[in-house]
Amino acid sequence: MILLAILAGLLQTVQNPLGTPIDGPGSTLSLARRIALPNSPAMPYGLQLMARFDLLPTLRDTRCVQDSSYDRSGGNGDSGNFFARKGNVAVLADIRGPGCIYRFWSANAQGRLRIYFDGQKAPTIDCPMQDLFLGKVAPFVQPLVGHKSGGFYCYFPMAFQKHCRIEVTDPGSLYYHVQYQLFPDNQRIRTFTTTLTRPDQLALQTVLAQWNHLGSDPKPPPAGELMLSGTVAAVAGQDMQFARIDGPAVIDAIRMRVLPANRFTLRQTVFSINWDGSATPAVQAPIGDFFGSGLGDVRFAAMPDAMTDQGYVCYWPMPFSSAAAFKLHNYAPGGALEVQWQIQYHKTDAPPKGEGWFQAQWHRETTVAGHPFHILDTDGRGQYVGEHTDMQGDRGIWFLEGDEQIWVDGDTFPSIHGTGTEDFYTAGWYFDEGTFNEAYHGCVVKQEAISRVGAYRYQIQDCVPFQHHIRVNIEHGPENDYPGADYSCVAYWYQDTPGHTWSPIDPTQLTPPRLKLAGVIEAESLGWSGGSTQQMSDDTFAAQASGAKVESVAGGPAIATINSPAAGVSRVTLSMMDASDAAHTFDVSVNGGPMQKVGTTADPDVPGRLTASFGGLLASGANKLTFTVPTGGAVYLDYLQLDAAPHEKGVAEAEDYLSSVHPSAGTTVSRVDKVGSNWSGWSALQWSALRGNSSLSLPFEVHTAGSKSIQLGVIQSPLEGKTQVSIDGLPAGTFGPLPATWAGTSHRMFLGQMNLSTGEHLLTFARRIGSTIPLTLDYFAVKSGKYPFSVEAEDLKVLSADGGDASTQQLPSPDHAWSGDAQFWFVADHPNASATLQLPVAAPGKYTLVVYFTTAKDYAQVQTLVDGAPVGPVVDCYTPTVRPKGRTVLGEVTLSAGDHKITFRAAGKNAASTNYLIGVDAIGLEPVK
């Protein structure tokens, strides 16, 4: 870190620009001297290069480098790490020119962005960071900038002659990439300005036309376009050449259509191209994978390729000298399949000079702990131009935590080091908005339920040139810790040889990705009895089955036995295959209970799959599920999942006291279940008070004497009267009537403080007026507390945390100085950061708001707000040591029954404080009499 700080200082002052070459990350690489190679091509740059997709084969002498927020320690903390930082200003990149930024990305763009060029004192770009990505700053226009599936991106190029520095004020925990080409030192570059030259305006029009017409050829139409086409029967087991073209020429487009097109034919039919008599193919990949998806027949359109209803197409420019041989090999065990093909090309006057041969190679691995997946590893001169990868896990998609790493020409540290797999694909947050396709990046398959992702990243103007060697890896999981996943990819690059030796295809690997999910119950393993049941292969279904088998269930009753690890209410989720005779409703009984009619829905993420769920009270161990399927239909069960009901921590479930409660005469108690609700345990105790002056008593045990706060989880319909609560006959509080927004949901009530001895006590609920609306009690808790009329701040729901992280901090001490030995803790990282908690109020009224803060050497000055309005003065929470502040009276508030918001905002800090942290032990609402 000391070395980085020194380098940052050198770069910011633009001194000694040709200092000792540094082998390290990002901007440090720009310090090295850069000499033009012999016969270096004269190439356009910026928008004018973007407009020339046809120049992609031209071998070049630039160097592609990336600055990013990757974890410098090698862990997974890939945000908030910067090239340099001073106060609240972070330096994302500090680059010695000449160069051009071609890709700028963030998953959480925030703060104010400033970009300086060539040592200028005033920034050329000065705007809220998000505004640049959203096309609000000229000349950055959509779709060259935008936001897709969790990622803000900018592909609008920014060139510079001497220097570029990118800063963000108040960046927070920013994820970012800045990717750029470094040019030889003697190259003359026109530095970016917000006013485009006429040539750049014309180039921008071309680029926009390309991006707005994906699926069409982005190259200028050549003179003398020629075409070959035909249809072949690809016979199983045979290697066949279906076309040959004599050169010199350039292949402009290749189109194919496979009949039938499914996961088997697209993976097991290999397409290859041999250039200029080379014995080894330059292109070798299954048809589906080559054109963009190895996970079946999908639809998308990118700049270089597309999969459409009319077939598949690629537009990679492919120059060659003497001959191009196009071949197919059908490795499927079945019969012939039909392949329709078309090749567009144009002749050239002479063999290509200074251009590489197009290469594309499929590669597949099962991930191994401690080792990354290898996308490409090859020797020679050329440029890497992208890939697509299909990832199949078995336990979720957290393999996406892996970073990409690219080494070029002897790097001992990767010149490109990313922050996560979906970030590499220029998205974010595990592709939180699902599939999408853009010119250079996209996610064509996201099926989280079956741990499957397919995505592409084409590096066109941000291609990665190499002069001797390149290695492209991507991690699986945070630190290569998702072993057993099935990864396959096609890497695309240009190279100065007509063939290559990277990872030739092993025919035994040419099978669709195997689906075997962890943590599910395979339907075929349930020991079925009764009805009409049969195990089936998944070959005839559109979707794949976990374990490649399904259980067909028809008629009924058909009984399956499932094992539950614990007793309680659980949700059973069924995953099934869709078919022409698939039943979309059927009946299920749990352990002989009443039949439940279950309806299926189409899985939105996995075509050809149905889902359904139902709930029931399961015993620990064996449980019986009885299925009855309508005549003429069948249920094709793949797997089942059990989800046990979540429980509130540190509470007693009211329904567990069903046998020990004492309802008054004329009233009844019962257990009610609601699967999928916010009720603790998805169950509650229901008391029907159908007459006046009724009561319900519930005995409970106290193990440690002392001051206790009483908390209830209440589910009550709206427009109900008041309910009085007492303990051992002494009033503990009143709640109700409750707001309509609370109907059917469980809410935590905070009642008064009481001193309780060890032993048994009686919690009593009383109503003076009879009601047809029952009281439904979810849970209760008797917790140690120090302060009257208070709630533990750490028990409240966090609604938002802006500018920091909110959590519970344990603060045990011999004298129990903090109530409950814990506090709500907000680690704010800048002024005006705030956290908001949900504050439920049991009864309407006027209250004195009291807050029990914590103070320390790095704590803020805090403004408290209730429902957005400030209450009381700013409170200084700085002290040299950590201590509870005690009772701080802020003022009076009038509150209705229901949910309110209490916000703690870092208004500033004491001059002696080192940060803006906030700690709250408890919050008191003392009734004003």
Side-chain angles (χ1 to χ4, degrees), residues 47-54 141 143-144 196 198-214 216-221 303 439-440:
L47 286 168
Q48 294 175 54
L49 178 62
M50 287 186 72
R52 294 294 304 275
F53 189 78
D54 58 313
V141 293
L144 273 64
L196 299 183
R198 180 59 177 166
D200 278 348
Q201 292 176 16
L202 295 174
L204 178 58
Q205 292 177 14
T206 299
V207 173
L208 290 174
Q210 292 170 342
W211 283 58
N212 288 319
H213 296 87
L214 298 179
S216 300
D217 194 341
K219 301 185 294 295
M303 181 76 75
Y440 298 156

Side-chain angles (χ1 to χ4, degrees), residues 498-524:
H500 64 84
T501 58
W502 163 243
S503 189
I505 284 179
D506 177 356
T508 64
Q509 291 188 319
L510 291 171
T511 55
R514 180 174 179 266
L515 179 62
K516 178 65 176 176
L517 301 179
V520 303
I521 303 169
E522 299 290 351
E524 63 270 16

Side-chain angles (χ1 to χ4, degrees), residues 421-433:
T421 302
E422 76 275 33
D423 306 350
F424 171 61
Y425 293 111
T426 316
W429 312 115
Y430 283 21
F431 302 106
D432 63 351
E433 298 168 12

Side-chain angles (χ1 to χ4, degrees), residues 857-870:
K857 66 179 181 179
D858 50 359
Y859 276 36
Q861 295 169 327
V862 183
Q863 174 70 68
T864 303
L865 303 92
V866 175
D867 295 330

Side-chain angles (χ1 to χ4, degrees), residues 386-626:
E387 58 82 60
H388 84 261
T389 296
D390 298 310
M391 296 154 273
Q392 175 67 69
D394 64 356
R395 53 196 183 278
I397 61 173
W398 56 270
F399 48 70
L400 293 175
E401 292 291 338
D403 303 341
E404 83 278 7
Q405 297 170 347
I406 302 180
W407 287 262
V408 172
D409 298 336
D411 283 341
T412 59
F413 190 93
S415 48
I416 293 176
H417 192 308
T419 57
T421 302
E422 76 275 33
D423 306 350
F424 171 61
Y425 293 111
T426 316
W429 312 115
Y430 283 21
F431 302 106
D432 63 351
E433 298 168 12
T435 59
F436 70 99
N437 62 278
E438 289 292 320
Y440 298 156
H441 67 288
C443 176
V444 298
V445 174
K446 182 191 176 187
Q447 298 171 344
E448 193 164 359
I450 59 173
S451 307
R452 175 176 287 180
V453 173
Y456 64 87
R457 165 84 182 281
Y458 299 132
Q459 299 187 213
I460 307 304
Q461 72 271 10
D462 59 335
C463 64
V464 185
F466 55 97
Q467 309 306 321
H468 309 292
H469 177 259
I470 188 169
R471 184 167 84 252
V472 184
N473 288 347
I474 195 161
E475 299 171 320
H476 50 89
E479 296 173 1
N480 291 315
D481 51 1
Y482 196 122
D486 184 329
Y487 272 42
S488 60
C489 81
V490 174
Y492 306 93
W493 75 103
Y494 289 87
Q495 194 165 317
D496 59 356
T497 56
H500 64 84
T501 58
W502 163 243
S503 189
I505 284 179
D506 177 356
T508 64
Q509 291 188 319
L510 291 171
T511 55
R514 180 174 179 266
L515 179 62
K516 178 65 176 176
L517 301 179
V520 303
I521 303 169
E522 299 290 351
E524 63 270 16
S525 70
L526 296 180
W528 292 84
S529 63
S532 176
T533 62
Q534 178 185 4
Q535 279 190 24
M536 298 177 61
S537 167
D538 68 350
D539 289 358
T540 59
F541 295 97
Q544 285 179 268
S546 178
K549 293 180 181 179
V550 299
E551 188 77 22
S552 169
V553 181
I559 301 173
T561 302
I562 60 171
N563 286 301
S564 174
V569 177
S570 290
R571 175 167 46 208
V572 182
T573 301
L574 309 176
S575 187
M576 301 157 285
M577 299 299 185
D578 202 357
S580 59
D581 62 340
H584 289 269
T585 59
F586 48 90
D587 295 320
V588 177
S589 171
V590 180
N591 290 326
M595 280 288 183
Q596 305 177 53
K597 186 164 291 294
V598 176
T600 66
T601 59
D603 188 325
D605 294 326
V606 188
R609 190 177 284 270
L610 302 171
T611 63
S613 65
F614 56 91
L617 182 60
L618 300 182
S620 177
N623 294 266
K624 300 291 185 183
L625 301 182
T626 302

Side-chain angles (χ1 to χ4, degrees), residues 151-376:
F152 294 92
Y153 69 88
C154 169
Y155 283 106
F156 201 101
M158 293 174 277
F160 50 93
Q161 179 65 51
K162 298 178 181 178
H163 179 247
C164 176
R165 187 172 80 254
I166 302 178
E167 297 179 351
V168 175
T169 302
D170 296 326
S173 297
L174 187 71
Y175 290 86
Y176 75 90
H177 297 171
V178 180
Q179 194 160 348
Y180 46 91
Q181 300 283 4
L182 296 173
F183 302 123
D185 291 335
N186 63 354
Q187 183 158 345
R188 303 303 300 168
I189 297 294
R190 183 182 184 275
T191 296
F192 171 86
T193 65
T194 56
T195 301
L196 299 183
T197 64
R198 180 59 177 166
D200 278 348
Q201 292 176 16
L202 295 174
L204 178 58
Q205 292 177 14
T206 299
V207 173
L208 290 174
Q210 292 170 342
W211 283 58
N212 288 319
H213 296 87
L214 298 179
S216 300
D217 194 341
K219 301 185 294 295
E225 183 91 287
L226 301 170
M227 183 183 297
L228 291 177
S229 62
T231 299
V232 297
V235 178
Q238 292 188 9
D239 191 19
M240 62 174 301
Q241 179 174 302
F242 66 89
R244 174 188 168 91
I245 299 174
D246 292 329
V250 178
I251 305 300
D252 298 313
I254 300 173
R255 293 178 172 83
M256 285 189 176
R257 190 175 185 185
V258 181
L259 300 172
N262 56 50
R263 63 181 184 271
F264 297 100
T265 59
L266 294 179
R267 172 54 63 85
Q268 295 179 322
T269 308
V270 173
F271 169 55
S272 62
I273 306 175
N274 290 64
W275 302 121
D276 297 334
S278 173
T280 56
V283 173
Q284 189 185 41
I287 286 180
D289 296 78
F290 177 78
F291 286 100
S293 174
L295 295 175
D297 191 26
V298 301
R299 296 291 173 267
F300 77 96
M303 181 76 75
D305 55 13
M307 300 181 79
T308 72
D309 290 340
Q310 290 71 45
Y312 316 141
V313 61
C314 80
Y315 297 112
W316 297 106
M318 307 178 191
F320 62 96
S321 296
S322 58
F326 300 84
K327 301 177 181 179
L328 290 172
H329 191 120
N330 180 4
Y331 287 94
L337 54 89
E338 183 178 302
V339 179
Q340 300 170 357
W341 59 272
Q342 182 186 87
I343 302 171
Q344 290 175 231
Y345 66 100
H346 68 274
K347 291 282 192 174
T348 58
D349 295 332
K353 184 177 181 180
E355 294 180 322
W357 284 269
F358 177 73
Q359 320 276 331
Q361 184 64 44
W362 181 77
H363 178 68
R364 184 180 189 180
E365 294 177 19
T366 299
T367 58
V368 176
H371 297 278
F373 173 68
H374 306 293
I375 294 173
L376 177 63

